Amino acid sequence: MMNAHSSHYSREIRVAWAIAVKDMRTYYTKPPSLMFGILFPFSLFLSFSIGTKAPLAAQIPILVSQTLFFASSSIGPVVIPTERANQTFDRFLTSPVSLLSILMGKTLAGIIYGAGISVIPVLVGMAFFGFQIISLGALFACFLLSSLAFSALGIMFASIPGQTPGQVMMPLNFVRIPLLFISGVYTPIRDLPTWMQAVSMLSPLTHTVELARYASGGETFFGPILNVTILTIYVATFLLMGIRFHIMNQRKE
Amino acid sequence: MPLESAIEVSNLTKYYGDLCAVDHVNFEVKKGEIFGFLGPNGAGKTTTIRMLTGISIPTEGTANIMGYDIQRHPIKAKEQMGIVPDVSNVYNELSAWDNLIFTGKLYDMPKTSRESRAEELLKMFGLYERRKEKVQGFSRGMKRRICIAMALMNRSGILFLDEPTSGLDVQSVLIIRDLIRNLNQQGLTIFLTTHNIDEASQMCDRVAIINHGKIVAIDTPEKLKRTLESLQSIEVAFETAPPNALKELEKLAEVSEVVKEGDKFRFFTRDPPTVLDSLWKYSQDNNLKLTTVNTVGPSLEDVFVKLTGIRPATAEEESGKSGRSEEQEMVHRRRKQ
């Protein structure tokens, strides 16, 4: 019985990984992935950072958080509507694999995309701009939990039954862009009014920014334990809601 | 006791809001059969196949695939089947080889067996030489073949084909029909949805006709044709037909309907010998020379029209689509008769 279970789980993991690898090969270089995953966060960063007096090394946590946020959450909304339009998503649904594994494969593709892009500013910052990592554990937690939460957020939004990435990206951006302004990305949380600080605590991006700052020795408002806890709650929430919404879609099919 | 049914469907129902797309459908497909699922557009064919293959969740009812309930044991049920949807859902960005290998991975096939199976199938479909090319450059017929090859990767017992030859050129249609027959001869159960009545009549052991979400008939094509004795007909051509012939011919005894089809007249009747006698007399009385006389049994198309009230694409339209030559069409019609 135990063997049957472990072989079932290992099979699901293998299939999820195969789906993730296929998505990486197929969708990472698609224009919407590049546009919303790379160009968008870098442009936003440049438009806000040019002219600020803060040293570049201090701004790297902001860029890392933004790329984690946008890149990780963009893969699901690019992949799933495109596959729905080509009916290749049906191929997964007719394969002997659970919906959970299909969505985990898609989530994994988002995690690797987000984390892979976000590690570049860290490495460039360390090599050329004196950026330092004080807590490798905090950086690891920041990358892992944030890319997982944001990728799951993208998968959850991809349950919107659209057939083009734009149909999912538009409502997703209604959530993503306002979060930039309440998450301490450009305005420190301590400078926000009290009610905004409470709202800010509810934003997952706040905790990504805080963990990235903490990892590089910067100040944090909520502290790493709360950051990790809240991000973990968001990971579970987005994953469960994403699966729930996709099952609801299947009922409507 | 060995399982005899490949597919067992009981009260399968699907509602979209208030609209009932599939209404308490019941049928059984035996192992080794080619089972045709025939119906006009919007009748519920694709919705049924989507429920049988696990894409869509039924509102009510059950479907067992090789004994496994698709809802309760979806993984086991899906292991038993290969699916060719109405659209060739291949990964255009991947090569032919990678499409097959990825399918093998979805079925968790070991590396060596998925590679040997992919090679075998690509050779079988005449695409091995082009295995490294991206599928986006392939013709529609080639993509269809890749799609079928992907459905065969896991050596399943049942193959679902949704309109497999729709929109293809005549060569691809013939290749795919031969392939389906060969696969069936090797023991594969085939579930085929089509709106092409010729295809169903030529290929299927049994046919179910679905209309407005309900199964209106289910039997072998020949038995279905025999249920419509009133649709027996006689086809007649005169060397020169008088202009008012149609009106006069309608008055002949035992003729229920006369239809002019090109230079021929088709008489629908329950009693062909009496009509033949009357026709002979009519031609003698009017000094007309009969050039063609054929008795024609009801076709599956007649059964379909009678049961659904919908006239599907005619043979001429189908041949136009398939690019059949006039000569091929003649042979084809003779075979039908």
Side-chain angles (χ1 to χ4, degrees):
Chain A
M1 194 71 174
M2 186 96 166
N3 277 343
H5 276 172
S6 68
S7 106
H8 168 74
Y9 292 129
S10 60
R11 174 202 169 116
E12 294 278 309
I13 290 166
R14 280 195 299 274
V15 176
W17 176 245
I19 292 170
V21 171
K22 193 273 301 165
D23 283 353
M24 289 181 223
R25 289 182 59 190
T26 313
Y27 296 104
Y28 273 13
T29 53
K30 289 270 177 200
S33 305
L34 298 173
M35 166 88 182
F36 289 103
I38 300 176
L39 203 63
F40 201 55
F42 273 91
S43 307
L44 272 175
F45 174 74
L46 287 175
S47 65
F48 281 97
S49 64
I50 286 172
T52 57
K53 288 174 186 166
L56 197 60
Q59 293 181 55
I60 283 175
I62 294 172
L63 180 59
V64 168
S65 308
Q66 276 189 8
T67 48
L68 271 171
F69 184 44
F70 280 96
S72 303
S73 60
S74 290
I75 290 300
V78 171
V79 173
I80 293 178
T82 308
E83 292 195 331
R84 217 179 266 137
N86 299 335
Q87 295 193 15
T88 43
F89 196 73
D90 287 353
R91 194 166 276 289
F92 300 124
L93 298 177
T94 58
S95 302
V97 57
S98 67
L99 182 64
L100 176 68
S101 297
I102 298 167
L103 297 181
M104 286 314 295
K106 305 273 169 212
T107 308
L108 199 54
I111 293 171
I112 295 169
Y113 191 63
I117 292 168
S118 307
V119 85
I120 296 168
V122 173
L123 296 176
V124 171
M126 287 170 75
F128 301 106
F129 301 105
F131 180 68
Q132 285 187 321
I133 306 290
I134 307 299
S135 168
L136 203 59
L139 189 73
F140 180 74
C142 171
F143 267 67
L144 180 71
L145 292 173
S146 304
S147 59
L148 185 51
F150 299 141
S151 181
L153 173 77
I155 299 296
M156 187 180 79
F157 268 81
S159 65
I160 295 168
Q163 300 220 329
T164 59
Q167 286 172 295
V168 178
M169 286 294 184
M170 202 171 70
L172 179 59
N173 282 338
F174 273 114
V175 174
R176 289 196 296 194
I177 292 171
L179 283 184
L180 286 175
F181 302 101
I182 61 160
S183 302
V185 177
Y186 302 111
T187 311
I189 293 169
R190 80 163 67 80
D191 296 343
L192 296 172
T194 315
W195 70 270
M196 280 275 279
Q197 286 174 350
V199 174
S200 156
M201 195 182 78
L202 297 176
S203 161
L205 183 58
T206 299
H207 305 283
T208 301
V209 177
E210 289 237 310
L211 274 176
R213 283 196 176 125
Y214 182 81
S216 57
E219 284 181 31
T220 68
F221 188 79
F222 296 111
I225 292 173
L226 191 65
N227 298 148
V228 168
T229 308
I230 289 184
L231 277 174
T232 307
I233 291 168
Y234 272 115
V235 167
T237 308
F238 291 150
L239 281 175
L240 291 174
M241 284 173 75
I243 292 164
R244 180 93 188 133
F245 290 160
H246 282 276
I247 290 173
M248 282 164 68
N249 266 352
Q250 223 181 335
R251 286 190 195 283
K252 286 184 206 156
E253 274 283 338
Chain B
M1 199 171 126
L3 193 71
E4 286 190 2
S5 300
I7 304 169
E8 278 178 301
V9 171
S10 173
N11 280 323
L12 202 65
T13 305
K14 183 75 185 183
Y15 274 93
Y16 294 112
D18 291 335
L19 176 81
C20 186
V22 175
D23 189 0
H24 297 88
V25 159
N26 293 283
F27 62 87
E28 179 196 8
V29 179
K30 293 187 185 79
K31 274 188 182 172
E33 251 189 335
I34 300 185
F35 186 85
F37 208 55
L38 196 62
N41 290 334
K45 299 188 300 285
T46 298
T47 306
T48 304
I49 211 170
R50 287 172 79 82
M51 286 191 282
L52 294 181
T53 53
I55 297 172
S56 173
I57 298 172
T59 314
E60 201 185 318
T62 57
N64 286 346
I65 309 295
M66 295 288 192
Y68 296 105
D69 187 322
I70 188 71
Q71 294 305 306
R72 287 186 187 174
H73 307 288
I75 306 282
K76 281 282 179 197
K78 288 172 187 177
E79 278 174 348
Q80 316 300 320
M81 56 170 106
I83 298 113
V84 181
D86 54 346
V87 173
S88 295
N89 60 348
V90 292
Y91 296 98
N92 286 316
E93 301 82 357
L94 301 182
S95 66
W97 176 260
D98 286 341
N99 265 284
L100 266 67
I101 293 298
F102 177 61
T103 306
K105 286 180 181 174
L106 285 180
Y107 283 85
D108 198 33
M109 293 168 71
K111 189 173 187 283
T112 48
S113 64
R114 67 177 177 249
E115 286 181 352
S116 64
R117 183 64 172 159
E119 187 179 330
E120 180 190 341
L121 287 168
L122 286 169
K123 283 179 178 168
M124 186 168 125
F125 284 89
L127 293 167
Y128 188 70
E129 300 306 316
R130 302 186 66 176
R131 67 190 181 282
K132 290 178 184 167
E133 288 176 37
K134 281 190 179 177
V135 168
Q136 63 194 6
F138 283 13
S139 70
R140 197 185 283 186
M142 287 161 74
K143 282 184 183 176
R144 203 78 186 131
R145 278 185 268 164
I146 288 287
C147 198
I148 297 176
M150 289 164 88
L152 296 173
M153 270 299 282
N154 64 324
R155 298 178 194 275
S156 61
I158 305 174
L159 185 63
F160 286 92
L161 296 135
D162 193 1
E163 305 280 1
T165 57
S166 181
L168 297 184
D169 62 276
V170 68
Q171 192 192 1
S172 299
V173 168
L174 295 175
I175 289 171
I176 287 168
R177 283 184 187 164
D178 277 348
L179 176 83
I180 293 169
R181 283 192 198 98
N182 288 339
L183 290 168
N184 179 249
Q185 278 163 16
Q186 288 164 29
L188 200 67
T189 305
I190 310 279
F191 185 95
L192 173 81
T193 75
T194 180
H195 66 271
N196 186 329
I197 292 162
D198 262 1
E199 187 165 85
S201 186
Q202 285 173 36
M203 299 192 62
C204 299
D205 297 310
R206 286 194 308 139
V207 169
I209 297 178
I210 185 169
N211 194 30
H212 298 305
K214 288 185 178 175
I215 292 198
V216 289
I218 182 164
D219 217 324
T220 64
E222 286 311 309
K223 281 186 185 167
L224 282 174
K225 289 174 198 171
R226 263 186 262 144
T227 58
L228 294 181
E229 291 298 322
S230 62
L231 286 176
Q232 290 184 90
S233 60
I234 300 166
E235 204 175 63
V236 171
F238 299 103
E239 196 173 63
T240 317
N244 59 344
L246 189 63
K247 279 191 177 174
E248 288 181 10
L249 291 168
E250 278 173 344
K251 292 173 192 162
L252 295 180
E254 296 297 330
V255 171
S256 51
E257 191 187 356
V258 186
V259 177
K260 191 169 185 304
E261 294 176 345
D263 63 340
K264 292 185 279 296
F265 293 92
R266 193 168 172 195
F267 298 81
F268 289 92
T269 177
R270 283 176 186 277
D271 187 0
T274 305
V275 174
L276 276 173
D277 285 345
S278 310
L279 265 171
W280 179 247
K281 193 169 179 306
Y282 173 81
S283 61
Q284 295 291 310
D285 292 349
N286 293 282
N287 283 326
L288 298 173
K289 191 176 175 187
L290 287 165
T291 53
T292 306
V293 178
N294 286 320
T295 55
V296 184
S299 65
L300 192 58
E301 181 175 321
D302 295 326
V303 179
F304 182 88
V305 171
K306 183 84 176 172
L307 293 173
T308 63
I310 295 165
R311 183 162 286 279
T314 61
E316 286 78 7
E317 282 165 346
E318 286 296 334
S319 72
K321 260 189 220 167
S322 61
R324 217 185 264 141
S325 72
E326 208 170 311
E327 194 178 284
Q328 283 172 317
E329 187 59 34
M330 226 159 71
V331 172
H332 170 74
R333 279 190 197 166
R334 272 184 205 148
R335 271 191 201 144
K336 263 177 83 180
Q337 286 165 12

